[in-house]
Amino acid sequence: MAWWMKLLRRRRLEKDLEDEIAFHRAMRVNDADAPPFGNETQIRETVRDLWRLPWIEALWQDIAYALRSFRRQPGFTAIVVATLALAIGANTAVFSVVNGVVLRPLAYPEPDRLEFVFTQFPGLGFERFSMSLPEFLEFREHALAFEMVGAYSTGEATVGGAQPSRQIGALVTHNLLPTLGVQPFTGRGFEESDSRPGADPVVILSAGLWQREFGANPGVVGSRVEINGVSTLVVGVMPRGFDIRDEKVELLAPLTIDPAALPNTRSNHFLYAIARRKAGIDRAQAQADVDRLLSRWKEIAGPGVHTPNETAHRVAITPLLDDIVGGTRRTLWILQGAVGVVLLIACVNLANLLIARAGSRTQEHALRAALGASRWRLLRQMTTEGLVLAVAASAAGIALAQGGLWLLLSSYPRVLPRIGDITLDWRVLAFTAGVALVVALVFGLVPFVHLLAKDRIGNALKLAGNRTTGGTARARVRTALIVSEVALAVLIVTAAGLLLRSFVNLTSVDVGFDRSNLSSFAVALPGSKYNPAARVAFYRELRTKLEALPGVRSVAVMTGLPTQRFLNASDTDFAHIPNNQPEYQGPAENVDYYQNVSLGYVETMGTRIVAGRNFEAADEGGAPVVLVNEALVRKFFEGLDPIGRQLKRGFSDGSPWFTIVGVVKDIKNESMAAETGTEVYFLTDQVLRISNQAPGSMYAAVRSALPLATLAPQFRRAVAELDASLPITEMKTMDDAIGESITRPRFLLLLLGLLAGMALMLAGVGIYSILAYLVAERHQEIGIRMALGAARQDVVRLVLVRGLGAALTGVMVGIFGAMSLTHVLTSLLFEVTPNDPATLAGGVGVILMVAASACIVPAWRASRVSPLTALRA
Amino acid sequence: MAKKTRRDLIQGSLDMLILRTLSRETLHGYAIALAIQQRSGDELRVEEGALYPALHRLELAGLLKSTWKISDHNRRAKFYQLTAAGRKHLEAESANWNRLVAAIAQVMEG
């Protein structure tokens, strides 16, 4: 009979047996001299025993017993479950992030075949740079290891309608979507004809944009929408969750490829390429293929300077997932380690609680053993208790993790790549189950080991009623627990301290300008409506209007906002550096950042001119002049005076020479932690006059003591008065902008700080309870000592020495551990070494304070012991 | 094998007797007890307290199969029959038993 039948059809079986016995009895009625019928109940019981599933019944029994014993000690249970829930919840939350960012494969078919293709310019220090269109086309045609290669470039576009908005969009080649393996769920993808010059403008929307701005209208395909002022046909909508390389694109448009213009754009790098390896080709083979291509690229491209080769201008591939998340892997595993340490501390606490509890249950266990329970049975009982607690704590922990994650992600929505769609998937649940299992085992083994000590069971029965002092073994275990807790706490507190110092260093970096009282916003002008002259006029009028606002001290317009810049990497010809000398050994004449500014930049930003002069009103119609920053002077003008020297945009003969008239103090370009890059400032009016070009999107920076909330509507009105169809974006204070650039370090600090706080709290509570039990157990001994003449402070000293001695040992172990482990944090630290003694000392100090305060109460209680009552008990 | 107590021996023998009885025909519990009693010339009386646990145990072990049928007294009864596994088990036990008996006899003679 199948085992499950026994379980489910029990009632039926019982009835059958009853009938069977009744039949037998009925038959026997006729048999006069037979012995009396056996005890029917006994028969039933014996047969019933055959039906039992011993292990399920035993498990059920254990669980019921466990629940009863927990109900008897609600305080203990509550503490245990709460502590564990916190620790397990934290672990689950962090693992969800690790899983969502690092472990989860990309949402494309066969994602491990996707490679990111990029260029490298070792001479310029560019490790990961974009490709140019001719390069990309050559790569696509000649790199045989790949079945498909597509490319894209991102930018912003104004999506028109009643409420125009700026959205992130991507210009893509027609085979990017097939390369990724995703198609619009309605409508069509792009075809090669869409990329021809003069083709009808078409666009594909993201599912998110479709829902938000188009009301999920099913008839959107075939309708027209205004993009950057141009009427564009919507041809498709992408499925939900689609993105390219975590760029958060909302629009896709075809990249226009003009074969006639191609040869001139070899050095115009702006494309990012994604390639799909052919099935059966592995990474090494693909890499070898690319290397081969590099060695013969010059033959393919023909004569010319700017061709990929094996040395100065490389093309490389890396798995797409690595490219997206690579930088964060280490950070996340560090976080996981930290939260694991907190869990360990929680387990140490619980081990202590369990030992204390087991100590008081020794009698109960001894009795059960005497009644026939095997050691195995007792172990199973304790493990089951652990399992029940672990399951309860895990359920609570998962709920906490969900809540905590939601909170964290809504405050830091973009801090990590792929963080937008983190869920509790099977890997996370499996992880939590694993953690719960380990905890349950700890629960079972710790008291069991305690029980197994020689003669424990026998002695326990004999000494029933007495409180034993426990012996040296238990004291050693106690010390070991305190030492391990403190050591672990040192690790985490040191890590948090290092991150704190690093963050403080970051925020006190000299950004090079006065960041207070500065607000900014961006306005983009569609090329279809504004020619370059109109754009310059617009920005000038905007500046005038803004300066006229009450409370505004000065306004400047610029193409790049400090700490939010994008690398331009523009070739720049310096007059004083010879071009055609083959032995030229100096830095390649490439400037990191080009800035187009209006007058008033230096005043508005609150920076200063360190040499020469600022732009003046006369320059607007005057000779071409530029300002450079200190970094550029250091790099290209070592020892020479830059004032009066000339430079030129690019190396073609047609462009005019600009004269350097002033040097600006270094202003941070991209991140607070990076060195300031080289920068050249051009005056917008001059660029227009000389080359009839003007930026399509600029930032307005406004210096005013008024808060942004007061200024914002006035900004909007000023723009609307000039052109009501233009959306304003990125309105924020400079402090906010800088804050954005250090979001990730702040996020990390917050998390690690929280964990350090948890660790300290757990360690403190742990030390306190260990010592409290110690005092309670040695109640009698203390009473004896005092009766024999020990003073109260001797008793206090006894306890304190115990506690602090163990804590000190723990600190030393912790310091040793910290010094060997903190080097993993190096990449996250800014201007702080991993073994920074001040941080270590600070961390140790905090922990010792916590330990000392944890020791005081038990010590004081010990001194209150009255010898009379202790001896009588 | 561990030392067989008297209880074990009797229990083991009962199983064998039941199997042997059922190797001839399909019977219900009462009939089995009756058959054993009659064939042993009233020497062996199987108590119900031993019979039914044995029957159910043999059934759980897969050596017997049971069906509810109408008995010749027009009542519903549970009939047991041997399975193929049961038959094999019976042969093995039979052989063991004969060996045991022969061995004991030899010791007693000699």
Side-chain angles (χ1 to χ4, degrees):
Chain A
M1 188 187 308
W3 65 267
W4 50 267
M5 278 173 70
K6 291 193 237 176
L7 209 54
L8 299 173
R9 300 171 52 190
R10 179 66 71 83
R11 209 174 293 165
R12 181 70 199 283
L13 293 173
E14 298 253 350
K15 180 76 176 42
D16 280 357
L17 181 60
E18 218 179 289
D19 288 347
E20 201 177 354
I21 294 180
F23 174 78
H24 191 121
R25 273 187 147 164
M27 297 296 283
R28 276 192 43 164
V29 158
N30 312 323
D31 193 357
D33 64 332
F37 195 84
N39 183 345
E40 185 178 339
T41 318
Q42 199 176 43
I43 298 181
R44 288 235 209 107
E45 272 197 18
T46 318
V47 176
R48 201 176 290 149
D49 266 348
L50 291 174
W51 293 334
R52 262 179 222 276
L53 283 166
W55 58 269
I56 282 195
E57 310 254 326
L59 183 67
W60 190 242
Q61 201 179 32
D62 282 344
I63 292 180
Y65 187 85
L67 288 175
R68 277 201 309 272
S69 81
F70 293 147
R71 218 171 297 154
R72 258 185 278 123
Q73 292 187 292
F76 168 81
T77 314
I79 291 181
V80 166
V81 172
T83 321
L84 269 186
L86 261 180
I88 294 183
N91 270 278
T92 303
V94 171
F95 188 76
S96 299
V97 175
V98 169
N99 179 48
V101 175
V102 173
L103 297 177
R104 195 171 43 123
L106 291 171
Y108 307 119
E110 294 186 67
D112 40 287
R113 283 207 275 149
L114 289 173
E115 305 275 344
F116 176 62
V117 186
F118 56 100
T119 56
Q120 290 177 315
F121 291 86
L124 297 175
F126 297 153
E127 281 303 311
R128 198 157 288 200
F129 203 58
S130 44
M131 300 181 87
S132 66
L133 187 50
E135 268 171 10
F136 160 73
L137 293 172
E138 283 154 11
F139 182 86
R140 189 173 70 181
E141 194 179 323
H142 295 276
L144 304 169
F146 304 97
E147 65 183 25
M148 273 196 278
V149 189
Y152 74 97
S153 172
T154 48
E156 283 191 339
T158 308
V159 179
Q163 293 272 45
S165 59
R166 291 284 283 176
Q167 304 288 344
I168 298 178
L171 292 174
V172 303
T173 58
H174 72 278
N175 53 4
L176 181 67
L177 291 182
T179 306
L180 292 174
V182 189
Q183 287 304 316
F185 73 88
T186 178
R188 66 168 177 88
F190 292 135
E191 284 139 30
E192 203 160 352
S193 52
D194 292 318
S195 292
R196 289 208 202 99
D200 277 332
V202 290
V203 70
I204 297 179
L205 308 173
S206 76
L209 185 65
W210 176 55
Q211 282 181 322
R212 285 193 308 273
E213 305 281 337
F214 295 84
N217 169 21
V220 73
V221 172
S223 66
R224 298 196 83 90
V225 66
E226 194 172 289
I227 305 223
N228 282 339
V230 175
S231 170
T232 315
L233 181 68
V234 176
V235 296
V237 181
M238 293 307 289
R240 225 169 73 90
F242 172 79
D243 198 5
I244 307 177
R245 230 175 120 230
D246 205 51
E247 305 262 14
K248 315 263 189 296
V249 294
E250 306 279 8
L251 300 165
L252 297 175
L255 177 70
T256 305
I257 300 180
D258 182 1
L262 270 185
N264 296 334
T265 59
R266 287 208 73 90
S267 48
N268 186 9
H269 294 258
F270 69 104
L271 281 177
Y272 297 101
I274 297 177
R276 183 178 279 278
R277 289 202 310 273
K278 287 190 178 136
I281 303 253
D282 66 16
R283 285 217 66 235
Q285 291 169 308
Q287 184 71 62
D289 183 54
V290 173
D291 290 336
R292 261 196 304 276
L293 183 56
L294 276 178
S295 62
R296 40 179 275 262
W297 208 302
K298 257 208 156 30
E299 298 159 28
I300 299 170
V305 182
H306 199 82
T307 323
N309 51 56
E310 285 143 310
T311 44
H313 176 173
R314 294 181 50 79
V315 170
I317 57 173
T318 189
L320 190 58
L321 180 61
D322 275 2
D323 170 68
I324 296 177
V325 305
T328 60
R329 267 210 186 99
R330 170 167 277 213
T331 309
L332 286 174
W333 286 119
I334 288 177
L335 261 182
Q336 186 74 62
V339 87
V341 166
V342 170
L343 182 64
L344 277 178
I345 298 184
C347 283
V348 167
N349 270 11
L350 292 173
N352 168 63
L353 277 177
L354 288 171
I355 290 181
R357 188 158 167 266
S360 56
R361 287 176 75 189
T362 310
Q363 250 194 293
E364 168 202 330
H365 290 312
L367 198 62
R368 292 184 71 184
L371 283 176
S374 65
R375 288 214 167 122
W376 172 240
R377 188 78 181 77
L378 290 174
L379 174 64
R380 228 176 47 208
Q381 166 70 47
M382 292 191 246
T383 314
T384 313
E385 286 179 10
L387 208 57
V388 169
L389 284 175
V391 165
S394 301
I398 289 183
L400 277 176
Q402 283 273 53
L405 265 181
W406 177 85
L407 199 64
L408 213 58
L409 295 181
S410 41
S411 332
Y412 289 87
R414 303 257 176 110
V415 67
L416 291 166
R418 310 180 71 196
I419 212 177
D421 29 38
I422 287 186
T423 50
L424 254 50
D425 70 7
W426 66 268
R427 264 189 225 96
V428 176
L429 290 175
F431 172 84
T432 312
V435 167
L437 209 62
V438 166
V439 167
L441 281 177
V442 166
F443 267 90
L445 289 176
V446 163
F448 186 69
V449 161
H450 177 263
L451 199 63
L452 276 186
K454 209 162 43 125
D455 287 341
R456 182 67 53 91
I457 296 181
N459 278 343
L461 280 177
K462 281 186 240 155
L463 295 168
N466 281 4
R467 275 273 180 82
T468 70
T469 53
T472 40
R474 196 183 290 187
R476 250 183 273 142
V477 168
R478 289 240 164 85
T479 317
L481 286 180
I482 297 187
V483 165
S484 46
E485 271 195 310
V486 171
L488 289 171
V490 166
L491 270 181
I492 287 211
V493 170
T494 308
L498 285 172
L499 281 182
L500 181 64
R501 280 202 70 177
S502 175
F503 187 74
V504 167
N505 288 347
L506 256 186
T507 51
S508 36
V509 155
D510 178 14
V511 284
F513 62 97
D514 181 4
R515 53 196 271 188
S516 63
N517 294 332
L518 202 54
S519 313
S520 66
F521 62 92
V523 180
L525 303 174
S528 56
K529 253 175 110 174
Y530 290 84
N531 63 26
R535 285 187 224 154
V536 172
F538 176 93
Y539 286 120
R540 177 180 312 168
E541 280 174 51
L542 181 62
R543 185 163 164 249
T544 314
K545 270 195 184 297
L546 290 174
E547 273 183 333
L549 291 176
V552 168
R553 288 210 285 265
S554 83
V555 177
V557 180
M558 63 199 74
T559 47
L561 201 63
T563 72
Q564 311 243 326
R565 306 293 300 280
F566 291 107
L567 190 68
N568 300 119
S570 310
D571 284 332
T572 311
D573 193 358
F574 288 94
H576 72 290
I577 296 179
N579 280 347
N580 299 321
Q581 292 238 30
E583 294 92 32
Y584 175 59
Q585 293 292 330
E589 290 166 79
N590 187 290
V591 170
D592 296 323
Y593 301 96
Y594 272 8
Q595 259 280 33
N596 264 0
V597 297
S598 65
L599 294 171
Y601 177 85
V602 171
E603 300 83 358
T604 308
M605 297 308 287
T607 184
R608 59 193 179 87
I609 301 281
V610 297
R613 67 167 177 84
N614 195 355
F615 285 133
E616 290 158 1
D619 290 323
E620 281 182 356
V625 291
V626 287
L627 300 177
V628 297
N629 71 350
E630 292 172 308
L632 187 143
V633 172
R634 279 197 297 272
K635 188 166 181 192
F636 293 109
F637 287 92
E638 256 189 72
L640 302 170
D641 180 14
I643 311 291
R645 306 253 176 198
Q646 300 203 312
L647 55 80
K648 171 160 81 164
R649 298 158 76 108
F651 286 90
S652 60
D653 292 321
S655 35
W657 290 97
F658 289 78
T659 311
I660 300 177
V661 294
V663 181
V664 184
K665 183 163 150 54
D666 276 343
I667 293 183
K668 288 287 175 201
N669 320 101
E670 284 188 61
S671 85
M672 309 275 275
E675 293 271 329
T676 309
T678 54
E679 190 162 10
V680 176
Y681 296 83
F682 295 91
L683 202 51
T684 321
D685 303 74
Q686 286 194 346
V687 172
L688 172 71
R689 187 161 42 90
I690 289 169
S691 51
N692 197 32
Q693 284 174 348
S697 171
M698 293 185 89
Y699 291 89
V702 178
R703 180 163 289 280
S704 160
L706 294 175
L708 183 55
T710 322
L711 291 170
Q714 303 189 43
F715 290 164
R716 276 186 236 280
R717 199 172 31 240
V719 171
E721 281 170 10
L722 290 174
D723 183 341
S725 73
L726 297 174
I728 294 190
T729 52
E730 297 189 58
M731 188 163 346
K732 54 181 89 128
T733 65
M734 204 62 224
D735 279 327
D736 284 345
I738 294 180
E740 277 174 20
S741 71
I742 47 175
T743 302
R744 195 180 291 180
R746 192 183 25 236
F747 175 75
L748 216 53
L749 177 63
L750 180 69
L751 283 185
L752 222 47
L754 267 174
L755 289 177
M758 272 172 75
L760 277 177
M761 191 187 69
L762 286 174
V765 166
I767 296 179
Y768 167 81
S769 56
I770 289 174
L771 289 179
Y773 273 117
L774 171 88
V775 166
E777 277 207 335
R778 299 175 75 171
H779 203 66
Q780 268 191 319
E781 177 196 331
I782 296 174
I784 293 174
R785 283 179 190 257
M786 294 183 87
L788 288 178
R792 290 199 190 273
Q793 56 247 54
D794 292 332
V795 173
V796 168
R797 199 157 26 107
L798 179 86
V799 178
L800 277 182
V801 160
R802 241 302 154 64
L804 286 179
L808 272 171
T809 315
V811 158
M812 290 202 282
V813 173
I815 289 181
F816 179 70
M819 295 187 71
S820 25
L821 289 178
T822 41
H823 67 88
V824 304
L825 291 174
T826 318
S827 59
L828 301 172
L829 298 179
F830 180 67
E831 290 184 0
V832 153
T833 59
N835 288 339
D836 181 45
T839 313
L840 209 51
V844 164
V846 167
I847 289 178
L848 283 178
M849 273 199 321
V850 170
S853 40
C855 293
I856 284 185
V857 175
W860 183 84
R861 281 249 191 86
S863 72
R864 296 271 128 231
V865 166
S866 149
L868 283 173
T869 31
L871 286 174
R872 219 184 285 144
Chain B
M1 186 119 104
K3 179 181 72 164
K4 270 195 156 178
T5 64
R6 184 150 188 262
R7 204 157 146 253
D8 285 343
L9 209 57
I10 293 175
Q11 185 184 53
S13 320
L14 178 58
D15 285 358
M16 196 176 62
L17 295 176
I18 292 176
L19 291 176
R20 182 71 177 98
T21 311
L22 288 174
S23 74
R24 296 187 210 106
E25 47 183 336
T26 303
L27 299 168
H28 55 68
Y30 179 74
I32 296 173
L34 205 57
I36 293 178
Q37 193 184 329
Q38 286 174 347
R39 284 198 77 108
S40 68
D42 265 11
E43 277 291 324
L44 300 173
R45 290 216 164 157
V46 187
E47 289 192 349
E48 293 77 11
L51 175 66
Y52 282 100
L55 283 174
H56 281 261
R57 194 182 33 200
L58 288 172
E59 187 180 6
L60 283 175
L63 302 177
L64 295 183
K65 200 163 50 183
S66 70
T67 357
W68 281 91
K69 289 211 271 246
I70 308 290
S71 77
D72 29 313
H73 297 261
N74 257 336
R75 301 176 69 113
R76 213 169 137 260
K78 200 172 187 190
F79 282 77
Y80 291 91
Q81 72 183 112
L82 221 51
T83 63
R87 225 166 267 284
K88 267 210 296 259
H89 188 86
L90 173 61
E91 281 171 25
E93 286 297 300
S94 224
N96 282 344
W97 177 261
N98 290 332
R99 257 204 309 277
L100 183 63
V101 164
I104 295 176
Q106 270 198 306
V107 172
M108 296 304 283
E109 303 277 318

